[in-house]
Amino acid sequence: MPDVKRTVKIITEQHVIGKDSGVEGYPMRSWNIRIVLVHEITSEDVTANIFEKATYKLHPTFGDLIKKPPFKIQEEGWGEFDMRIIVTGMDKGGDHELLHDLNFQKERYEAEHKITFKNPKPSLLEKLRESGPVGGEENGVKSKRADDSAKKNRKRPEKGVDMEKLADSLQRLGEEDLLTVVQMVHENKTADTYTKNDVEQGEFHVDLYTLPDSLVRMLWDFCVEKLGS
């Protein structure tokens, strides 16, 4: 499955409250932060349900905070500072670090960050579809031909081939071996095969589940030869 990119939006709101901060010229404030996704087609805010948790690494006076959906924190303080937010993708979707500047210039402000999911598993892929199209799809709807091909291969995988292990092995190949893989795909793909050549990013994407069985076997044997079983 090709990589999937998403836009994460961090929304910050703050206001002065009637408490003494103990520091002249720095009024005490109440502030909160929450995390949403930006839909890739409509640009609307949608629930960030592709993450299982968010870890806020704040100023030492606060310590780390771990939040479940909707990943909102509410705090009080007088100082501005930079923080790190680690969002953890569901179903082994990996950790993604977001850098955020807590400041009091505006009562509300937003910051967007791009993240990438490498070969997301089926359950994560389903959640990703709620915020926009994924590989092999247009306008959020997968083509029937590609969908039928994927279902066929999932029901009858090539004997002796672990598709998840194959995907992992392909990522561990060296640059020269990857060029060989790209050539193999181009020479043996069918009309149902989904590929995307991202020239700007220097990346080549292929949906393994849309490959013909013979090509899946070729790639599997090639990875075993290069990396071992």
Side-chain angles (χ1 to χ4, degrees), residues 13 39 46 52 73 76 80 90 125 132 142 150 155 190 195 203 217 225 229:
E13 297 175 310
H39 196 283
V46 295
E52 62 181 24
I73 60 172
E76 294 180 358
E80 304 174 331
M90 61 174 290
L125 204 58
K142 196 170 188 178
K155 290 178 181 178
T190 67
T195 62
E203 298 177 347
R217 170 54 67 181
E225 177 186 347
S229 58

Side-chain angles (χ1 to χ4, degrees), residues 151-167:
K151 289 179 179 179
K152 177 182 178 181
N153 284 327
R154 286 188 178 95
K155 290 178 181 178
R156 293 190 291 274
E158 174 69 14
K159 185 177 181 181
V161 175
D162 183 325
M163 298 299 280
E164 290 189 8
K165 186 174 181 180
L166 175 58

Side-chain angles (χ1 to χ4, degrees), residues 165-166 168-170 172-173 177 219-229:
K165 186 174 181 180
L166 175 58
D168 178 69
S169 296
L170 289 170
R172 293 191 289 117
L173 290 174
D177 290 336
L219 294 176
W220 177 262
D221 291 343
F222 182 77
C223 288
V224 170
E225 177 186 347
K226 297 296 181 180
L227 304 172
S229 58

Side-chain angles (χ1 to χ4, degrees), residues 106-125:
K106 298 180 180 179
E107 289 195 349
R108 174 191 167 100
Y109 62 96
E110 302 174 351
E112 295 185 357
H113 301 262
K114 289 285 187 181
I115 64 172
T116 301
F117 291 92
K118 301 284 189 179
N119 292 305
K121 293 189 175 181
S123 57
L124 174 55
L125 204 58

